[in-house]
Amino acid sequence: QLRLVEAGGGVVHPGGSLTLSCTPSGSTLAAYSAGWFRHVPGKAREGISCISATGGRTNYASPVKGRFTVSRDKAKNTIYLQMNNLQFSDPVVYYCAADPVPYCSGHIRLTDFTSWGQGTHVTVSS
């Protein structure tokens, strides 16, 4: 069974950057599209990015366009989320998820993803 593990969260100053990684166990991610979600306190978990199985297409939710970049390293079987100009002051949990459909839909829908990581916390603080 495919399981995912996120890493790279931590505390960063406003305007700073972090790179999150997502690695699988139990299976390869090669045939999966992959998404990144975030959970802001007081809000529902929201999709922020998706990358197709080939890496040929990426989608971003409007709030992160131009600041976040999703990528995948085939050799390392790893998904990354480069986050620049971080602006959140409250702790946010970022989740990696995998979708057995190899392409990304126009919307990054929670219910499309069947495998999830445990989440990694990111705090933007002065």
Side-chain angles (χ1 to χ4, degrees):
Q1 188 175 42
L2 177 63
R3 292 171 291 180
L4 304 175
V5 178
E6 303 96 339
V11 180
V12 64
H13 293 300
S17 299
L18 282 176
T19 298
L20 307 182
S21 64
C22 172
T23 55
S25 64
S27 185
T28 176
L29 281 174
Y32 291 78
S33 60
W36 286 97
F37 295 76
R38 69 182 179 188
H39 184 203
V40 178
K43 297 182 179 180
R45 188 181 300 186
E46 62 177 345
I48 57 173
S49 186
C50 182
I51 185 167
S52 64
T54 65
R57 180 176 292 277
T58 56
N59 291 342
Y60 299 92
S62 295
V64 306
K65 286 182 179 178
R67 298 190 298 115
F68 289 13
T69 302
V70 62
S71 62
R72 61 195 305 160
D73 187 322
K74 296 179 181 179
K76 295 182 178 180
N77 197 24
T78 300
I79 311 297
Y80 299 97
L81 183 68
Q82 174 67 46
M83 306 186 295
N84 296 326
N85 193 23
L86 288 164
Q87 301 169 356
F88 297 101
S89 60
D90 294 326
V92 177
V93 183
Y94 286 83
Y95 297 90
C96 178
D99 183 357
V101 178
Y103 49 84
C104 298
S105 62
H107 293 87
I108 308 164
R109 296 184 174 88
L110 183 73
T111 55
D112 289 342
F113 295 82
T114 58
S115 299
W116 293 84
Q118 82 289 348
T120 185
H121 288 73
V122 174
T123 301
V124 182
S125 176
S126 299

